[in-house]
Amino acid sequence: APRAMTQGRVLSCLVALAPVAFGLQGVSRRGVLAGLAAPGSASALGLEEMRFRSRPALPTVPRQELVQDFAVQLMRSSYNVVDELDFVAMNEFQRRFFLLRAEEWDEYRQRASKLGAPPNQGQLSDATYFDFISFAQYATINECLREPKTVFEEISGADPANSTVVYRESGVADAGLATEHSRRVGDALLDYVLARDDIAAASPQDAASQLLGWLVIFGFAADAQVLAAPRNRLTCRLLAPANLWGLRALRADNAPLTNDFAAKLLEAYARREAAPWRVASLDVDKVATTHTLVLSS
């Protein structure tokens, strides 16, 4: 059964995952990396640098401070849906998440620091840190989606004896897991928005503007603009969003599931309110994301 994640739990899992929880006690970050490097291969640090060379450049555009509660909501809902869909043991997910962060963190921090914007580690309201940790979360989810389980043993807490056999009861087939994850996170995000105000729109353009306007209010982006475009389309541009680097990195990895929260929100609204649009494409450049919505006739 799904285990709801409290704000305290999400912060403890995402900010202070201890090596002891994964049987890595006494092992430094570099020691973890050395264990991942094959004999005769590049050093652990070189492995980290080589992986990061393929990552996109970090944003130089100034970004807003996120509303802490909203940042937690994005991380928590993404985690909780993994738990609901039951395709990986959550202790295994947390172990992989820890290792992936260990692989990528130092290079990211050093590059951000050279740009004059060092990430405030553990502070989800800091866009530079949020961009990294959200990327790491979704990169881990994609890693687990490559070999999804239908039956597995899940350990609760630090005691291996405290385990439960879990069967996937969601009814979602392997091929549909990424789509269903995106759908459920979008629904949770829309619920979060509508709990604060209704979307009372006179047109699709107005509705999309209001939805993305909330992302600006929450500090997720510096500005939002929705414009009519030829061939019955809308272009939705978010300036300096908090997922700018991570979204580019996931797309470069051809990840089937990304942290494109704007698209998740727009699609959730279209499903629930029968809004006459679908998200047709996404363009990500160095300063903004642009979604193209195709309107139904």
Side-chain angles (χ1 to χ4, degrees):
R3 292 156 290 281
M5 196 174 193
T6 64
Q7 179 164 325
R9 185 180 171 202
V10 75
L11 291 173
S12 65
C13 286
L14 302 177
V15 174
L17 288 173
V20 67
F22 311 121
L24 301 173
Q25 54 267 46
V27 181
S28 67
R29 183 199 65 81
R30 189 166 297 187
V32 169
L33 291 173
L36 296 175
S41 68
S43 68
L45 187 58
L47 199 81
E48 183 179 12
E49 291 170 346
M50 284 190 296
R51 174 192 283 265
F52 212 90
R53 282 196 200 109
S54 65
R55 299 295 181 213
L58 270 65
T60 57
V61 61
R63 292 189 282 181
Q64 305 295 103
E65 180 176 310
L66 286 92
V67 173
Q68 174 80 3
D69 186 68
F70 182 67
V72 170
Q73 167 68 21
L74 297 179
M75 298 295 295
R76 178 172 51 202
S77 60
S78 299
Y79 179 98
N80 281 347
V81 173
V82 173
D83 199 5
E84 291 169 10
L85 291 176
D86 283 333
F87 60 88
V88 62
M90 297 314 292
N91 59 290
E92 173 64 12
F93 175 82
Q94 291 169 9
R95 184 187 71 85
R96 292 189 186 192
F97 187 26
F98 175 84
L99 292 174
L100 190 145
R101 289 172 56 214
E103 286 182 52
E104 306 244 6
W105 170 248
D106 273 2
E107 276 295 313
Y108 181 89
R109 178 182 56 79
Q110 289 169 18
R111 292 192 183 192
S113 297
K114 288 178 182 178
L115 295 174
N120 186 357
Q121 186 173 12
Q123 184 55 257
L124 292 177
S125 62
D126 173 38
T128 305
Y129 179 72
F130 178 87
D131 207 350
F132 172 80
I133 202 67
S134 179
F135 156 78
Q137 183 185 46
Y138 272 78
T140 305
I141 296 171
N142 279 284
E143 184 179 296
C144 297
L145 284 172
R146 285 197 284 270
E147 295 182 348
K149 310 297 183 186
T150 54
V151 182
F152 51 85
E153 186 176 31
E154 186 170 80
I155 298 171
S156 299
D159 184 1
N162 188 17
S163 64
T164 306
V165 175
V166 177
Y167 298 85
R168 189 190 303 172
E169 297 179 349
S170 64
V172 181
D174 290 354
L177 287 169
T179 299
E180 183 64 13
H181 185 282
S182 188
R183 187 188 70 80
R184 294 191 188 191
V185 171
D187 286 342
L189 180 52
L190 181 60
D191 288 340
Y192 187 90
V193 169
L194 294 180
R196 283 143 185 84
D197 199 6
D198 292 331
I199 302 297
S203 67
Q205 184 174 351
D206 186 26
S209 295
Q210 289 185 47
L211 288 167
L212 298 186
W214 275 105
L215 297 184
V216 177
I217 292 170
F218 295 141
F220 185 82
D223 191 27
Q225 190 176 44
V226 179
L227 299 174
R231 294 183 296 168
N232 210 28
R233 295 168 186 246
L234 298 175
T235 58
C236 305
R237 187 173 188 265
L238 281 179
L239 176 64
N243 63 344
L244 185 58
W245 175 82
L247 186 52
R248 292 180 70 200
L250 290 165
R251 281 162 58 86
D253 285 346
N254 295 314
L257 179 66
T258 70
N259 60 347
D260 187 356
F261 296 112
K264 297 179 199 298
L265 177 61
L266 290 164
E267 289 169 345
Y269 183 83
R271 286 191 303 271
R272 191 176 304 182
E273 303 297 330
W277 68 56
R278 63 180 177 85
V279 179
S281 65
L282 167 66
D283 178 66
V284 186
D285 59 31
K286 294 180 180 180
V287 298
T289 62
T290 302
H291 295 84
T292 299
L293 307 186
V294 175
L295 302 177
S296 58
S297 51

